[in-house]
Structures are given as structure tokens and as C-alpha cells.
Amino acid sequence: MLRTASDLTTLLHRLDGRGYKAYRDIQGRYSFPGFELSIDHVQGDPFAPPSRMRIAVPSAVAGFPEDLWAEPVRRMALADFLNRAFYQAIGQRDREISVYRPSQKVLERSSVIIDRGGVEVRFWVALPAGGRRIMGRRAAEILGRNLPDLVTGALTWSRTDQKAAYAHVESVEDQEALRNQLKGKKLVAFVADGSVLPRAGGDVDTPLTRSAGALPFVSPPSLAATLDTPNSGPVRGMGVPEGVCLIAGGGFHGKSTLLKALEQGVYDHLPGDGRERVVSREDTLKIRSEDGRAVTGVDISPFIGDLPGGRTTEAFTTANASGSTSQAAAIMEGLEAGAKVLLMDEDTSATNFMIRDKRMQQLVAREKEPITPFLDRVRELHRGFGVSTILVMGGCGDYFEAADLVIMMDEYRPLDVTARARDLAQELPTGRATEPAGPFRLPRPRKFKPRPFDASKGRREISIRALGVRGMLYGKSEVDLSGLEQLAEEGQTKAIGFLIHLFGREKSRDRGPAQGLAELLHKIGEQGLDPLSPWPAGDLALPRLLEAVQALNRMRSLEEATGNRT
Ligand code: ADP
Ligand code: MG
């Protein structure tokens, strides 16, 4: 028989003052008035990760109207809303209770699960101790008294800010609709007029306020496009067409800020974020140089020819890539994974990968320079493979010929200066010779040996931990993800760890990283995140395929399976 809330309170009082290990006795399920509490895992000592618990509120009690969660997009948005509501309701009172903390993005997560049966929230409680003794009375106060308040306050429709809930869900639905129109209109990105792109600080993701000087976005007339939304009618803004787009402009005029917003436009944002109507296509990949990273078996020959000493680059492997080889590898790996829109910023690019001017071409003979600069490939990528590029470049005009569109940021305002840039390209030829290096070939899918996917550590068969958003402990090794600028939340990082672990199984691994991981993610799209983790985890968020593949590619111990290439 299910124990009751008062059973739990009685038990906790009885445990008061006993050794911490005795907390184990509370594991199990309890029926509370209006919800059920599952104590899934009890921590072994006060310093261990907090105890894992779940609350299930039946739909008759929760009472959220069906139109808020019947559609998958709306369900994701409502779950995000409730996650935030629960987070806020915990507030300062019960520091022992915690729940997943969402970023400015709205993602599919495992923290709140909504279905026909009701709402489930997964959370943690650091069970209180005095020294190594159980503080049973305090625990009873938290679980027996404060938790029911939390449930009523955050997880019932009658107590919800209903207007805010609808606004949240409708905004997310609109964002998905905007994003879904891009391809049909041959756009790669869209920035609605009125969007606020700058952030409040270098390390925060909240918007810069108007009073702090944020200038809202206004599209240049020539690039204005109008897209439809189901909940707010037509929305006007700047459409960035497929092809090669250059973002020029003086230093500090907002170039990188625009590119960052486009980079994050693969995700939905909270209403009020400022970027909730900035969308880019799902297959958009930020590319940057990342010297020092490992590269395993990547064909970078379209960009980097034979290296000194006659080393070929068709299956380039290194434990310590240079700026240019890392950027070339990032592009080839991205193409292997299906990226169709590349974003690059001069701030984070290797100069010798991006450009080589006439003088340098004269000084360094072609035979002595293995690099074919991106400039000589960018048009071919679009023409031959439908891969678009958006490039921030304030320091070099050699890209004018290659660009279909040149946007100039002028005091945070975008201007369409394409015609002027064309004229200048005619008036002032660069004099540089186009560097022929044979036709561009798309990379072949790679396959890997099983060993590096072993995630065990000591006695634990699977040990996977996120180190903040951009790092991961996978088994015994650390994976540096600092170059993955589009990775948004720690929950994604952790989910990627589990995904890679599943990928390591033979069947998936045999398909190569792009296809193998895509199939796994597809399954998660249908079944939710739970199959990833051995227990009901409250700290997972859905990653994109591109981040999962990038993470895998950064594992230092990868080894190509032999008999891979033909
Ligand atoms: P750039 O890449 O052109 O050198 P950044 O994009 O780094 O410039 O922007 C420079 C500064 O201007 C940043 O501090 C950024 O937050 C701020 N900024 C960018 N866009 C806006 C805007 N629309 N309104 C107000 N400040 C902005
Ligand atoms: Mg910049």
C-alpha cells in the first residue's frame, strides 16, 4: 500500500538525530493530498549530490487547459513555463530544494513532463543534516509542509498567471512558425524589427535594457521581409537570403552582436528576451578556429593541401590542431553532419584561413602554402552544395566579390551596402589570383573504434558529468567543449554525454557519427529524453544534432576504424 504524507512526517521525526545513512528508509512513494511524491534516490551522506525526487500531479488537480499542451511545441513551452514557475516558487525559503535552472532558451527538457495523466516535476532535495546526524524535523518541514505549498503555487492552473502562460506558449509557437518559413522563402535567418540583440553583459544572456542604451533592430528597406505567425499575425523584419552574406562595419558597431543573435536563433527564446523573433535555420553552424583541439581522420584537403614533410590531409589526425587546420576541420565535420549555413566571425577566425592578399601571394609561392583560403571556396560551397555563409568581416574587403549581400552595421543599425561594395570591387580590384585547388569534395562519413566510448570509471559503469555548459567528464576523460558556442544549457551537455555513450554501441557506431547520432536523436524526439539515462533524470535538455556531433569530434581518444575508406 502507498504510504501517506503523514507516514513520511512520522518517519522523519523518528529518524531525527540518527546517523545520516538511515535516511535511506524514506525511499519510496507517498500519496499526498493532490499529488504523489516519489523519493527515487536518497543521498548517502550530506555532501553527496542531493536526493532525487519526483512529484506527479494528476491532470484533474493540475487542471491545465488542453490547448496549452496538446501540441508538442506547446507542450514543450508549457513544460518550460512550469519549470520556471517551480524554480521561482522555491525562491529563498527552502534552499535545500532545487530544480533544473533553464537559460533564456526554451528547450525540450526532462525536468517537467506533461501528458494526459498530468504534470510530473523532477527535483532534488539536499536532505538536512546537523554534522552527520539526520535533521528529521527540518526534513519533515520541507517535505511534509513546504513541498505541498510549492505544488499548489506552481503546478496548478488556478494559481498560475494564466495570461503569462498563454503568452509564453504562443510566443514559442510563433518562433517555431517563423523558423519553419525560412526554407520556403529561401532565407537562412530572420530578425524581426524591434528585436533587442545586445546582452546586458559579456557573461550574461539577458537583454541589455533600453535605459542602458539598447537600440532595437530595424531592417534595411531592401531586406525587409514579412513572415506569418499563428498568434501575432504578420511580422516584419530583415530576411537574410541564402548565399554569401558579409557583415561589415566599424569596430564596436554591433557586427558580432548580430551574428551571435543569428547563431542563437536556432533556439526559441523566452518572451522578453529580445531575440524571441530572431530565428535561423536548424542546420546553422557556428564555425570558429580552436587551436589545440584534437582532430581525428577528417578530410581537410579542400582547404589544406599537403603539409610540410609531405603529410597528406585526406584523413587528417592531430592531437593539437592549429588555428587554420582546426577551422578547416570544423567546416568539414559540420558538412559531414549536414550543416547548410555556416556562421563565422573574424574575431574567432584564423586570418590565414580566411584571406591571403596579393602581396602575400607574391611573397609565399603557392607550393609553399598548403592553405586554400575560405575566400576561394565560399562561392563554390553555395553553388555546388547549397551551403550558405554569413561572415562578419570588418577588416578586409577582399570578400566583396564573393558576397551576394553586404550588410554594414552603422551604430547598431544594419544598412544594405551591397551595391556600393560591388562598385568598389570594380574600382579597386584586389589583384589577387584565385587559388585553384581542385574541386571541393564533401567529406566521407567516418567510423570509429569502440574503445573511446567506454564511459566507465572505477566501479561505475557509466560516469558522465557536465562541467558547466561547455565541458564534460566522460568516463575517465575530460572533453573540452569551449568551442561549441551554440551549446546553450548544461542539460544539453549532459544529454550529449549519454547520447555519445549510446552511440558507442556497435549498431549506431557503424553508421558513423552524423547518421548514428541523428537516429538516436530522432528516437528521443519521439520518446522524450528518458531513454538516455539509467534513472528518471531531471537535468537533461535536448541538444541539436550538430552539437552532439561536434562534441564527439572533440573527444581526444577517438580512433578511426580501419577499412574505413575506399
Ligand atoms: P563589433 O563586432 O562590430 O566590434 P559588437 O557586436 O561586439 O561590435 O558590439 C559592440 C558593443 O556594442 C557591445 O558591447 C554590444 O553589447 C553593444 N551593442 C551591440 N548592438 C547594440 C545595440 N543594438 N544597442 C546597443 N548596444 C549594442
Ligand atoms: Mg566583433
Side-chain angles (χ1 to χ4, degrees), residues 198-199 208 213-215 250-257 347 412:
R199 300 294 94 189
L208 187 69
L215 192 76
F252 228 64
H253 279 248
K255 304 182 297 294
S256 297
T257 302
D347 291 351
Y412 314 137

Side-chain angles (χ1 to χ4, degrees), residues 49-210:
S51 304
R52 287 200 312 269
M53 306 191 187
R54 283 178 292 159
I55 281 169
V57 189
S59 53
V61 177
F64 292 96
E66 190 162 344
D67 67 337
L68 279 177
W69 53 264
E71 290 291 316
V73 176
R74 289 186 157 228
R75 189 182 317 152
M76 170 184 80
L78 181 63
D80 175 86
F81 184 84
L82 295 180
N83 189 157
R84 290 170 202 277
F86 197 83
Y87 183 86
Q88 262 160 19
I90 294 172
Q92 297 299 313
R93 188 179 61 177
D94 295 305
R95 291 174 172 282
E96 294 91 342
I97 306 181
S98 56
V99 69
Y100 187 83
R101 185 179 179 183
S103 69
Q104 292 289 105
K105 323 288 186 211
V106 178
L107 301 173
E108 187 82 48
R109 302 193 190 89
S110 67
S111 49
V112 175
I113 292 171
I114 302 169
D115 59 26
R116 200 151 283 285
V119 179
E120 177 176 300
V121 178
R122 296 163 180 190
F123 61 103
W124 302 273
V125 176
L127 290 169
R132 304 194 63 88
R133 305 253 147 235
I134 287 178
M135 286 174 70
R137 279 161 206 290
R138 173 65 187 145
E141 194 176 288
I142 298 167
L143 295 178
R145 211 181 59 209
N146 298 348
L147 201 57
D149 282 358
L150 260 179
V151 173
T152 323
L155 303 177
T156 58
W157 181 238
S158 58
R159 291 277 299 274
T160 295
D161 180 344
Q162 305 187 348
K163 253 175 88 176
Y166 270 104
H168 193 88
V169 166
E170 286 170 0
S171 166
V172 171
E173 191 177 46
D174 282 352
Q175 297 179 51
E176 300 266 330
L178 290 174
R179 193 175 295 107
N180 288 338
Q181 285 162 73
L182 294 174
K183 217 168 208 159
K185 295 199 181 285
K186 293 194 174 303
L187 299 176
V188 293
F190 174 81
V191 184
D193 290 351
S195 295
V196 174
L197 310 188
R199 300 294 94 189
D203 53 354
V204 289
D205 209 29
T206 48
L208 187 69
T209 58
R210 305 257 171 131

Side-chain angles (χ1 to χ4, degrees), residues 225-350:
T226 301
L227 304 186
D228 291 321
T229 61
N231 303 302
S232 353
V235 176
R236 182 186 181 273
M238 178 176 86
V240 181
E242 293 174 355
V244 179
C245 168
L246 201 63
I247 301 174
F252 228 64
H253 279 248
K255 304 182 297 294
S256 297
T257 302
L258 172 58
L259 193 79
K260 279 231 140 44
L262 300 180
E263 171 185 316
Q264 300 301 314
V266 298
Y267 298 116
D268 300 327
H269 288 89
L270 280 183
D273 173 86
R275 299 166 298 183
E276 65 270 43
R277 286 175 176 180
V278 180
V279 291
S280 49
R281 269 167 32 185
E282 214 175 341
D283 47 12
T284 299
L285 179 64
K286 174 71 184 288
I287 299 286
R288 58 171 294 163
S289 82
E290 228 181 307
D291 58 329
R293 64 160 281 200
V295 175
T296 309
V298 178
D299 181 1
I300 56 169
S301 63
F303 293 109
I304 319 265
D306 292 355
L307 297 171
R311 243 177 105 196
T312 66
T313 52
E314 270 139 46
F316 181 68
T317 296
T318 178
N320 185 9
S322 68
S324 57
T325 51
S326 65
Q327 201 163 350
I331 293 177
M332 298 311 286
E333 289 165 341
L335 297 176
E336 181 185 344
K340 291 285 189 207
V341 184
L342 307 179
L343 306 182
M344 287 191 233
D345 192 324
E346 61 186 346
D347 291 351
T348 49
S349 290

